[in-house]
Amino acid sequence: MKKDSTITKKIIRGTFLWTPEPDVMKQQDHGYALIENGILKSLTKELPSDCEDIPVTDYGNAVIIPAFTDIHLHASQYPNCGVGLDKELLPWLNTYTFPVEARYSNAAFAEYYYKKLLNRLWSVGTLHFCGFATVHMESTWQLMQLTQKAGFQAYIGKVNMDRNCPDSLRENTEISLHETEELIHRASSLQNVKYILTPRFVPCATPRLMEGLAALAEQYDLAIQSHLCENTDEIALVEKLHPDIPNYTQVYDTFGLLRPKKTILAHAVHLTKKEAEILCNKNILLAHCAQSNTNLSSGIMPLRQRLQNGIRCGIASDIAAGHTPAMYRQIAATIQTSKIHGFLHPEDAPLSLTEAFYLATKENGNFFGNTGSFEPGYNFDALVIPDAEPDSPLQRTPYERLEQFIYDGDDRHILTRYMQGEKMEQPFPE
Amino acid sequence: MKKDSTITKKIIRGTFLWTPEPDVMKQQDHGYALIENGILKSLTKELPSDCEDIPVTDYGNAVIIPAFTDIHLHASQYPNCGVGLDKELLPWLNTYTFPVEARYSNAAFAEYYYKKLLNRLWSVGTLHFCGFATVHMESTWQLMQLTQKAGFQAYIGKVNMDRNCPDSLRENTEISLHETEELIHRASSLQNVKYILTPRFVPCATPRLMEGLAALAEQYDLAIQSHLCENTDEIALVEKLHPDIPNYTQVYDTFGLLRPKKTILAHAVHLTKKEAEILCNKNILLAHCAQSNTNLSSGIMPLRQRLQNGIRCGIASDIAAGHTPAMYRQIAATIQTSKIHGFLHPEDAPLSLTEAFYLATKENGNFFGNTGSFEPGYNFDALVIPDAEPDSPLQRTPYERLEQFIYDGDDRHILTRYMQGEKMEQPFPE
């Protein structure tokens, strides 16, 4: 075998499941994944003939799936998971969310919970994420550094908000923009963590702030994340704040925040036809947050309709409005709400497990580049799920074992996590 | 202290949470539970003055809650949790459920999976349950014995079905009745496990079988469990089978299976007004299975309406149509579907966490007698949930910690399980 000292090669063996297309679950039984410098070169049934000298890690009957990506989570709200879900969005924000976010002015508080979060994301196999921090520049920078150190791939942003929020969190517009630019500069030293502009949502951001962020987006070619049309009260508030603009989506567009392929908007439960057209034409990625929309009584987002309208949609935990960061639970929640929508609107078929899995892996991964699938050229970012009951009398297919993991498994069923071909260890001691 | 050698006394200390009423969460901080022969005598803020000599187990900051009761689960379907949920009820039964149930003719198969189930129920804190086995007499008897040995309280029944099912499971009517009576006799030797008559549902039971079971119910004064109005296709099938009887509920009534306070019917998603009246008047307990109804696209059971109509309702996992036996997840699912129902029908308020907790503990427990609450005279059946993060910067109230356990906790958060005042250990080695 010809050796090239600059290339690290390895082979990982197991039964691979992945979704190259929205409705196609591919399976390679006991396949050989050839990985060069963290990138999948080939996935074959037989060991390639020129690979006899490359070390093989054989996971036996384990199922190996792409690692999960979460395209919308509130990193700072992790301590609130499960708390206070008897309220709707706006009272929930004021009672539970804002008071906890205010605590992130304290570095020790931030470090404690951000480490907890990163350990938990690692444990549940979410190795890529787009996260909201808080308005605080320094603790956002802490999160970015901790995330880099832990080895995740992430987009992280300091929240910008300068209206309609408690005094403890309301920013001066110019300082908000200045601190954002400071973080953009600092983030340029990081490899795996990128800055993403993070206006909380229209009710919390003045036109001047939105325009300033749009200017930064252009100047530095940045991604943007925010919220859209989650709740009818919120939509009414946006109408009141911007009576001259026809709808919520066009408020973002007016102020320059709809960047093709670069903007993620969470929720979009209640959209007009016009808004759906704009989101499609602008190639905006919607983060569908099924668990959150149910918890906060926001409504059911008609996911099948959005997909049929040509809008790109991924799925997300939206912790802490979603009550768990585990993306396997979010896949189940997505399927479940699509079933409920389906029996109310029989023209919209529910999503299959394969379709929802695709959204949580390849579609979400598209925002990061080549992750979320086992196609040649993709980063080898993967989770190894051993056969929990190899000697059970009822033999399960690999696909059935994946179904059981998604619906009733937990982090104990994930043996190993790979990031770019390397084993990823628990980030911080507990 | 006066001692009576026939009375074992102990004290357990911790912060107790329980729901004596549907919408009342009571809390006793660092209270003393005095337990005599497994029964709670008092729960007080101070140590009672005559109790200084009684040993105290102090759980510090732990939250202690009543153990869960599951009033509707298919014990034999445990290996199917999470599998095949892309199908609706009738195709799901034929593709996944019946083939696995047929395997319970084999004693080794039955023992393997029934032990797995009982270990899992123990781990998630479900210490009382009403379970369907399969049509097989001997493996049903195995389940009853294993359940007795493990120390659960349970109602267990052999499934009766003699029509509209695969040949491998269809019984001869007379043999079905004979084997049922045999099990009734055998069960009389057990202390904690009771026999419950278990016709699968109307589509699978001939009039002769239903009448025969009703006669056994009268003769031995037995409880009965079955299914009702889960799915519109199923209801149409019942109408076709019994064109002379006005509705599904009255089919059970006609054949003598609605026994006041003794019959549990699962689902009741789609009821006529007349049926709701009958269920209320007959004091039937409905098992609401939110997760199952969503998974099989059966519909949303209007739980608030049923409760307002005076129908008794508990909640249940319905594994394997529900995908997890964990009752804390079923509480969350109950709240979530009630929220979705609530935004479609604003006149029906969603259930609060307190209300859903009440259903999973005290209301379900009512079927067993005095379990599911911490009122004097109740069995001390309890779960100890330690403070997972005693040194965290954000101090949580006991109620908030309960919320987090319900929504995002798992069996690792349950330190100890008590059955009638005694620690219950994992039933079987793994």
Side-chain angles (χ1 to χ4, degrees):
Chain A
M1 195 185 85
K2 193 178 160 193
K3 282 215 172 187
D4 181 337
S5 63
T6 64
I7 297 181
T8 307
K9 296 187 182 189
K10 62 175 71 174
I11 287 172
I12 290 170
R13 192 170 186 216
T15 292
F16 295 83
L17 287 170
W18 73 103
T19 42
E21 306 288 335
D23 53 359
V24 176
M25 180 70 75
K26 287 200 81 168
Q27 179 175 329
Q28 178 58 264
D29 287 319
H30 302 290
Y32 295 85
L34 172 62
I35 298 153
E36 290 186 7
N37 286 355
I39 294 168
L40 185 72
K41 302 306 284 188
S42 63
L43 176 51
T44 50
K45 182 153 183 57
E46 307 295 338
L47 184 67
S49 58
D50 57 348
C51 291
E52 276 90 13
D53 296 344
I54 301 174
V56 176
T57 304
D58 191 338
Y59 286 105
N61 278 319
V63 164
I64 303 178
I65 61 173
F68 295 116
T69 296
D70 188 346
I71 57 167
H72 182 76
L73 63 82
H74 292 266
S76 54
Q77 293 174 25
Y78 179 59
N80 272 351
C81 281
V83 174
L85 295 177
D86 285 345
K87 293 196 184 293
E88 291 192 21
L89 174 64
L90 298 180
W92 175 80
L93 283 172
N94 288 312
T95 312
Y96 296 101
T97 308
F98 290 150
V100 165
E101 290 198 10
R103 301 285 298 272
Y104 284 79
S105 59
N106 179 292
F109 184 96
E111 184 181 353
Y112 180 90
Y113 283 114
Y114 283 148
K115 283 182 171 176
K116 284 263 175 211
L117 167 71
L118 294 170
N119 275 354
R120 182 76 187 277
L121 291 176
W122 172 85
S123 77
V124 298
T126 298
L127 306 188
H128 315 72
F129 66 90
C130 301
F132 283 53
T134 59
V135 294
H136 308 96
M137 180 176 73
E138 290 303 340
S139 62
T140 301
W141 178 234
Q142 263 182 300
L143 173 61
M144 297 184 83
Q145 289 174 296
L146 290 169
T147 304
Q148 166 75 28
K149 185 180 167 202
F152 294 88
Q153 284 200 313
Y155 287 88
I156 292 171
K158 179 194 112 54
V159 173
N160 302 98
M161 51 181 178
D162 65 348
R163 65 173 170 181
N164 294 314
C165 57
D167 290 346
S168 58
L169 292 168
R170 186 163 52 243
E171 301 180 288
N172 169 285
T173 307
E174 298 313 315
I175 294 174
S176 180
L177 291 168
H178 174 77
E179 291 188 345
T180 300
E181 193 162 13
E182 167 69 18
L183 282 172
I184 295 165
H185 288 298
R186 290 191 196 177
S188 64
S189 69
L190 305 176
Q191 291 76 52
N192 300 329
V193 178
K194 293 181 179 165
Y195 194 80
I196 183 167
L197 295 165
T198 308
R200 186 169 209 115
F201 63 161
V202 168
C204 286
T206 60
R208 166 71 198 123
L209 180 59
M210 288 192 274
E211 283 168 349
L213 292 172
L216 290 172
E218 286 300 316
Q219 185 179 349
Y220 296 99
D221 190 22
L222 294 175
I224 299 171
Q225 60 184 352
S226 194
H227 299 89
L228 177 70
C229 297
E230 179 173 3
N231 172 295
T232 51
D233 289 349
E234 168 212 12
I235 294 169
L237 177 56
V238 171
E239 278 175 14
K240 202 173 147 200
L241 290 167
H242 297 279
D244 301 335
I245 302 177
N247 57 55
Y248 197 160
T249 300
Q250 283 180 269
V251 177
Y252 286 127
D253 204 19
T254 300
F255 296 109
L257 294 172
L258 297 188
R259 306 198 77 212
K261 297 189 184 178
K262 294 262 184 182
T263 297
I264 297 174
L265 293 174
H267 304 304
V269 176
H270 313 277
L271 288 184
T272 63
K273 194 158 172 258
K274 178 72 184 163
E275 288 178 290
E277 280 171 20
I278 294 168
L279 295 167
C280 175
N281 293 336
K282 290 269 183 176
N283 206 342
I284 302 304
L285 177 60
L286 295 186
H288 171 49
C289 310
Q291 198 176 67
S292 161
N293 295 337
T294 302
N295 282 337
L296 298 182
S297 290
S298 302
I300 297 181
M301 191 262 221
L303 178 57
R304 176 67 71 197
Q305 274 178 33
R306 302 273 181 266
L307 293 169
Q308 285 177 340
N309 288 339
I311 304 175
R312 282 196 305 138
C313 300
I315 69 179
S317 73
D318 191 29
I319 56 165
H323 54 257
T324 175
M327 289 299 291
Y328 35 90
R329 290 288 179 278
Q330 302 301 335
I331 290 171
T334 299
I335 297 167
Q336 290 186 303
T337 55
S338 82
K339 284 177 176 173
I340 292 176
H341 178 81
F343 54 71
L344 297 167
H345 303 275
E347 69 280 14
D348 291 338
L351 267 75
S352 67
L353 185 133
T354 295
E355 289 177 294
F357 187 81
Y358 171 85
L359 298 184
T361 53
K362 187 169 174 181
E363 182 63 277
N364 280 359
N366 280 336
F367 197 78
F368 284 77
N370 290 336
T371 186
S373 187
F374 292 140
E375 297 162 61
Y378 273 66
N379 291 342
F380 189 77
D381 301 335
L383 309 177
V384 179
I385 302 166
D387 189 352
E389 296 184 56
D391 302 320
S392 68
L394 203 58
Q395 290 303 305
R396 290 300 188 187
T397 66
Y399 179 75
E400 288 170 339
R401 283 163 48 210
L402 175 62
E403 288 182 290
Q404 295 198 294
F405 168 70
I406 296 288
Y407 277 104
D408 194 31
D410 63 38
D411 54 286
R412 287 169 285 193
H413 296 96
I414 305 176
L415 172 69
T416 306
R417 296 137 186 93
Y418 280 96
M419 171 62 87
Q420 296 177 19
E422 299 293 329
K423 277 191 193 180
M424 188 170 162
E425 302 299 335
Q426 178 176 300
F428 306 102
E430 292 247 308
Chain B
M1 196 184 84
K2 191 175 161 195
K3 281 216 172 187
D4 182 336
S5 63
T6 64
I7 296 181
T8 307
K9 296 187 183 190
K10 62 176 71 173
I11 286 171
I12 290 171
R13 191 171 187 217
T15 292
F16 294 84
L17 287 170
W18 74 103
T19 43
E21 306 289 334
D23 52 359
V24 176
M25 180 70 75
K26 288 200 80 168
Q27 179 174 330
Q28 178 59 265
D29 286 318
H30 301 290
Y32 294 85
L34 171 62
I35 299 152
E36 290 186 8
N37 286 355
I39 293 168
L40 185 73
K41 303 305 284 187
S42 64
L43 176 52
T44 50
K45 183 156 182 56
E46 307 294 338
L47 184 67
S49 58
D50 59 346
C51 291
E52 276 90 11
D53 296 344
I54 301 175
V56 175
T57 304
D58 192 338
Y59 286 105
N61 278 319
V63 164
I64 303 178
I65 61 173
F68 295 116
T69 296
D70 188 346
I71 56 166
H72 182 76
L73 63 82
H74 292 267
S76 54
Q77 292 173 25
Y78 179 59
N80 272 351
C81 280
V83 174
L85 295 176
D86 286 344
K87 295 197 184 294
E88 290 192 20
L89 174 64
L90 298 181
W92 174 80
L93 283 172
N94 287 312
T95 312
Y96 296 102
T97 308
F98 291 149
V100 165
E101 289 198 9
R103 301 284 298 272
Y104 283 78
S105 59
N106 179 292
F109 184 96
E111 184 181 353
Y112 181 91
Y113 283 114
Y114 283 147
K115 284 182 170 176
K116 284 263 173 207
L117 168 71
L118 294 170
N119 275 354
R120 182 75 186 278
L121 291 176
W122 172 85
S123 77
V124 298
T126 297
L127 306 188
H128 316 72
F129 66 90
C130 300
F132 283 53
T134 59
V135 293
H136 309 95
M137 180 177 73
E138 290 303 339
S139 62
T140 301
W141 178 235
Q142 262 182 299
L143 173 61
M144 296 184 82
Q145 289 175 296
L146 290 168
T147 303
Q148 167 75 29
K149 185 179 167 201
F152 294 88
Q153 284 201 312
Y155 287 87
I156 292 171
K158 179 194 112 52
V159 172
N160 303 98
M161 52 181 177
D162 66 348
R163 64 173 170 181
N164 294 315
C165 57
D167 290 345
S168 58
L169 292 168
R170 185 162 53 242
E171 300 180 289
N172 169 284
T173 307
E174 298 312 315
I175 294 175
S176 180
L177 291 168
H178 175 77
E179 291 189 344
T180 300
E181 193 162 14
E182 167 69 18
L183 282 172
I184 294 166
H185 288 298
R186 291 191 196 176
S188 64
S189 69
L190 305 176
Q191 291 75 52
N192 300 330
V193 178
K194 292 180 180 164
Y195 195 80
I196 183 167
L197 294 165
T198 308
R200 186 167 210 117
F201 63 162
V202 169
C204 286
T206 60
R208 166 72 198 120
L209 180 59
M210 290 192 274
E211 283 168 349
L213 292 172
L216 290 171
E218 286 301 316
Q219 185 180 349
Y220 297 99
D221 190 22
L222 295 175
I224 299 171
Q225 59 184 352
S226 195
H227 300 89
L228 177 69
C229 298
E230 178 173 2
N231 171 296
T232 51
D233 288 349
E234 169 212 12
I235 294 169
L237 177 57
V238 171
E239 277 175 13
K240 202 173 147 200
L241 290 167
H242 298 278
D244 301 335
I245 302 177
N247 56 55
Y248 197 160
T249 300
Q250 284 180 268
V251 177
Y252 285 127
D253 204 19
T254 299
F255 296 109
L257 294 172
L258 298 188
R259 306 199 77 212
K261 296 189 184 177
K262 293 262 184 181
T263 296
I264 297 174
L265 293 174
H267 305 303
V269 176
H270 312 277
L271 288 184
T272 63
K273 193 159 171 259
K274 178 70 186 163
E275 289 178 289
E277 280 171 20
I278 294 168
L279 294 167
C280 174
N281 293 337
K282 289 270 182 175
N283 206 342
I284 302 304
L285 178 60
L286 295 185
H288 171 49
C289 310
Q291 197 175 68
S292 161
N293 295 337
T294 303
N295 282 337
L296 297 182
S297 290
S298 302
I300 297 181
M301 192 262 221
L303 178 57
R304 175 67 70 197
Q305 275 178 31
R306 301 273 181 266
L307 293 168
Q308 285 177 340
N309 288 339
I311 303 175
R312 282 196 305 138
C313 300
I315 68 180
S317 73
D318 191 29
I319 57 166
H323 54 257
T324 176
M327 289 300 291
Y328 35 90
R329 289 289 178 280
Q330 302 302 335
I331 290 171
T334 299
I335 296 167
Q336 290 187 303
T337 55
S338 81
K339 285 177 177 174
I340 293 176
H341 178 81
F343 54 70
L344 297 168
H345 303 275
E347 69 280 14
D348 290 338
L351 267 75
S352 67
L353 185 132
T354 295
E355 289 177 293
F357 187 81
Y358 170 86
L359 297 185
T361 53
K362 186 169 175 182
E363 182 62 278
N364 281 359
N366 280 336
F367 197 77
F368 284 77
N370 290 336
T371 187
S373 187
F374 293 139
E375 296 162 62
Y378 272 66
N379 292 341
F380 189 77
D381 301 335
L383 308 178
V384 179
I385 302 166
D387 189 351
E389 295 184 56
D391 302 320
S392 68
L394 202 59
Q395 290 303 305
R396 290 299 187 188
T397 66
Y399 179 75
E400 288 170 339
R401 283 164 46 212
L402 175 62
E403 288 183 289
Q404 294 198 295
F405 169 70
I406 297 288
Y407 276 104
D408 194 30
D410 63 39
D411 55 285
R412 285 168 286 193
H413 296 95
I414 305 175
L415 173 69
T416 306
R417 297 138 186 92
Y418 279 97
M419 171 61 86
Q420 295 176 22
E422 299 294 329
K423 278 192 193 179
M424 188 171 162
E425 302 299 336
Q426 178 176 301
F428 306 101
E430 292 247 307

